[in-house]
Amino acid sequence: MHTFRKAPPAKSVMFMVNYGDGRTAYLWIEDPVEAGDSYSVSLIARARQEQGTLPEGTITSIRRVR
């Protein structure tokens, strides 16, 4: 007899970051609690731009991918 297992919850959340000039970058957030609030996700994206992890430019939208 085969039993079905639930998939373990994702440890990170992935977002697609769109820029005004048409570029797209991806952002991974390790804490799912922080990823639940769109305002905190935008703050994290801006902080990562300052660190150089995300490319510079005007962010037009951030959308959760997985």
Side-chain angles (χ1 to χ4, degrees):
M1 175 184 228
H2 296 282
T3 59
F4 293 98
R5 295 185 197 177
K6 259 185 156 177
K11 293 183 169 105
S12 65
V13 182
M14 184 171 143
F15 291 90
M16 184 170 59
V17 181
N18 295 315
Y19 291 89
D21 59 358
R23 293 179 296 157
T24 301
Y26 292 94
L27 167 69
W28 285 269
I29 298 178
E30 296 300 321
D31 186 9
V33 174
E34 287 181 351
D37 181 29
S38 61
Y39 180 72
S40 65
V41 171
S42 65
L43 291 178
I44 292 170
R46 306 252 189 272
R48 299 250 178 114
Q49 273 188 319
E50 292 174 4
Q51 295 171 355
T53 307
L54 280 178
E56 292 294 323
T58 304
I59 296 175
T60 56
S61 67
I62 301 173
R63 187 175 64 122
R64 184 176 177 156
V65 177
R66 79 164 173 91

